[in-house]
């Protein structure tokens, strides 16, 4: 797979493509991409996903704060595993947003990127104010020799899979169901930063995480069983999200992870956490001894959850 950022690097004279933001790259997206790959094989053309590095609404509304399931790098990584030939990264600009659907199909997709077959998600719309739909896209495609096809819909055992559904589950702490719908464990990526080191005093040293993607969806406050990846090695652990009410330093949100059977210094290093299951609510304890006792119980619970999930 090749990622194309600049039209100067585009050498293909024809391609089967689909377009979208693809946040989460969930099974519904992967179903669409498999359908596109099948079309590309039938037409003996390469396949391409056209996507954007930033959420389009951020460009149109500067105060809009999206809730993202993936950072852009995570999305590229997930898309790269789907077997497509190209990812075309298109900057979403006010000028692009102002184009009508006809202008976008003819000037951008056909003339610039040589799209010969366009697969449209069953509920996807584009063009200025998204005023037109699939029937119009077909007409505009015919004008420039482009075949426009509506994709099949997808559902998981009768439940429609959508990025918004997954976001709500994560925000409610139901990371297990969210991960099931995604087809992979929901994850946070960031860097280890300094903390108050209270966990070390009670025998549970934690790595405090500054998440790299500022718009990433953060699960609800509480404790979770997680996998942790540091320096390409995978460890079991438990993660806490909350304002540390027992410690009482401030009301800021803390994300910190206790890595089982691990004692290395990893300050400033990259870290990735995969959520397995919610353990318990965030609670204020009367003493550090009570907190320590609860963390011992959390550790046993986390190990059992992870072992059963393997």
């Amino acid at each position: 797979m090749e990622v194309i950022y600049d039209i100067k690097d585009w050498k293909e004279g024809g391609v089967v493509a689909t377009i979208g933001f693809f946040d989460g790259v969930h099974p519904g997206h992967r179903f669409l991409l498999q359908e596109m790959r099948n079309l590309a094989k039938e037409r003996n053309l390469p396949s391409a996903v056209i996507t954007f590095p930033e959420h389009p609404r951020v460009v149109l509304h500067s105060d809009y704060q999206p809730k993202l399931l993936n950072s852009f790098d995570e999305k590229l990584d997930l898309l790269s595993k789907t077997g497509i030939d190209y990812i075309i990264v298109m900057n979403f600009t006010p000028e692009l947003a102002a184009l009508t659907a006809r202008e976008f199909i003819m000037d951008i997709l056909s003339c610039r990127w040589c799209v010969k077959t366009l697969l449209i998600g069953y509920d996807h719309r584009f063009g200025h104010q998204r005023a037109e739909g699939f029937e119009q896209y077909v007409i505009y495609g015919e004008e420039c020799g482009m075949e426009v096809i509506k994709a099949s819909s997808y559902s998981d055992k009768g439940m429609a899979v959508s990025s918004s559904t997954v976001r709500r589950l994560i925000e409610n702490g139901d990371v297990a169901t969210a991960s099931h719908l995604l087809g992979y464990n929901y994850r946070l990526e960031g860097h280890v930063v300094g903390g108050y080191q209270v966990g070390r005093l009670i025998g549970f040293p934690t790595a405090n995480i500054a998440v790299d993607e500022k718009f990433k969806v953060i699960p609800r406050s509480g404790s979770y069983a997680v996998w942790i990846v540091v320096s390409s090695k995978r460890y079991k652990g438990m993660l806490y999200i909350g304002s540390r009410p027992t410690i009482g330093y401030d009301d800021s949100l803390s994300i910190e992870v206790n890595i089982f059977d691990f004692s290395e210094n990893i300050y400033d290093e990259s870290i990735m956490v995969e959520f397995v299951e919610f353990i318990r609510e965030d609670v204020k304890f009367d003493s550090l001894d009570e907190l320590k006792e609860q963390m011992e119980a959390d550790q046993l619970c986390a190990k059992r959850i992870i072992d059963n999930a393997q």
Side-chain angles (χ1 to χ4, degrees), residues 173-215:
D174 191 356
V175 293
T177 302
S179 294
H180 168 72
L181 290 182
L182 286 171
Y184 58 86
N185 288 334
Y186 183 67
R187 67 196 192 197
L188 296 177
E189 295 186 11
H191 288 77
V192 178
V193 297
Y196 293 106
Q197 299 188 351
V198 173
R200 192 175 301 277
L201 295 177
I202 59 176
F204 289 92
T206 58
N208 290 264
I209 302 174
V211 178
D212 292 339
E213 172 54 68
K214 65 179 179 178
F215 294 129

Side-chain angles (χ1 to χ4, degrees), residues 150-179:
K150 180 180 286 189
S152 306
S153 61
Y154 172 85
S155 65
D156 182 6
K157 296 179 181 178
M159 182 178 183
V161 180
S162 68
S163 299
S164 58
T165 297
V166 175
R167 290 186 198 105
R168 285 194 296 270
L169 289 166
I170 293 169
E171 290 177 326
N172 290 332
D174 191 356
V175 293
T177 302
S179 294

Side-chain angles (χ1 to χ4, degrees), residues 14 48 52 75 96 108 115 138 140 142 144 153 184 252 288:
F52 312 100
K75 181 165 67 174
L96 189 69
I108 304 299
V115 175
V138 172
Y140 303 146
E142 289 175 347
C144 60
S153 61
Y184 58 86
S252 62
L288 289 181

Side-chain angles (χ1 to χ4, degrees), residues 68 70-74 186-193 208-218 229 255 268-273:
L68 300 181
N70 301 138
S71 68
F72 184 61
D73 287 341
E74 288 172 6
Y186 183 67
R187 67 196 192 197
L188 296 177
E189 295 186 11
H191 288 77
V192 178
V193 297
N208 290 264
I209 302 174
V211 178
D212 292 339
E213 172 54 68
K214 65 179 179 178
F215 294 129
K216 186 88 171 183
V217 178
I218 304 299
V229 178
I255 302 175
D268 297 324
E269 289 195 27
S270 296
I271 189 169
M272 190 264 282
V273 175

Side-chain angles (χ1 to χ4, degrees), residues 25-257:
V25 194
H26 54 62
H29 293 143
R30 297 197 291 274
F31 179 80
L32 169 68
L33 299 182
Q34 182 59 55
E35 189 169 358
M36 179 186 67
R37 290 179 61 209
N38 292 341
L39 289 170
K41 185 176 181 180
E42 291 172 3
R43 287 150 180 75
N44 197 30
L45 291 171
S47 58
V49 166
I50 301 172
T51 193
F52 312 100
E54 288 187 293
H55 196 287
R57 287 183 64 183
V58 174
V59 177
L60 298 175
H61 308 284
S62 59
D63 59 344
Y64 177 69
Q65 297 189 357
K67 297 178 179 180
L68 300 181
L69 299 175
N70 301 138
S71 68
F72 184 61
D73 287 341
E74 288 172 6
K75 181 165 67 174
L76 291 183
D77 177 61
L78 289 165
L79 287 173
S80 72
K81 297 173 181 176
T82 63
I84 59 178
D85 297 305
Y86 292 100
I87 298 176
I88 296 172
V89 180
M90 185 182 299
N91 289 321
F92 194 88
T93 63
E95 292 76 19
L96 189 69
L99 295 178
T100 64
R102 183 178 185 275
E103 290 169 334
F104 184 72
I105 286 174
M106 300 187 73
D107 299 343
I108 304 299
L109 298 184
S110 180
C111 293
R112 183 177 300 181
W113 294 107
C114 301
V115 175
K116 300 301 182 186
T117 298
L118 178 65
L119 182 65
I120 299 291
Y122 72 96
D123 60 350
H124 186 73
R125 286 176 177 261
F126 55 77
H128 184 59
Q129 297 183 344
R130 303 173 67 180
E132 298 174 291
F134 177 75
E135 291 75 15
Q136 289 75 34
Y137 304 158
V138 172
I139 294 171
Y140 303 146
E142 289 175 347
E143 291 181 31
C144 60
M146 180 192 302
E147 178 185 27
V148 180
I149 299 174
K150 180 180 286 189
S152 306
S153 61
Y154 172 85
S155 65
D156 182 6
K157 296 179 181 178
M159 182 178 183
V161 180
S162 68
S163 299
S164 58
T165 297
V166 175
R167 290 186 198 105
R168 285 194 296 270
L169 289 166
I170 293 169
E171 290 177 326
N172 290 332
D174 191 356
V175 293
T177 302
S179 294
H180 168 72
L181 290 182
L182 286 171
Y184 58 86
N185 288 334
Y186 183 67
R187 67 196 192 197
L188 296 177
E189 295 186 11
H191 288 77
V192 178
V193 297
Y196 293 106
Q197 299 188 351
V198 173
R200 192 175 301 277
L201 295 177
I202 59 176
F204 289 92
T206 58
N208 290 264
I209 302 174
V211 178
D212 292 339
E213 172 54 68
K214 65 179 179 178
F215 294 129
K216 186 88 171 183
V217 178
I218 304 299
R220 66 179 290 189
S221 295
S223 295
Y224 296 82
V226 295
W227 284 102
I228 304 103
V229 178
V230 179
S231 300
S232 301
K233 295 182 180 179
R234 207 159 181 249
Y235 303 89
K236 300 174 185 178
M238 57 183 180
L239 178 138
Y240 167 78
I241 299 174
S243 58
R244 295 170 292 199
T246 303
I247 310 303
Y249 287 120
D250 55 51
D251 294 327
S252 62
L253 189 72
S254 176
I255 302 175
E256 47 192 271
V257 63

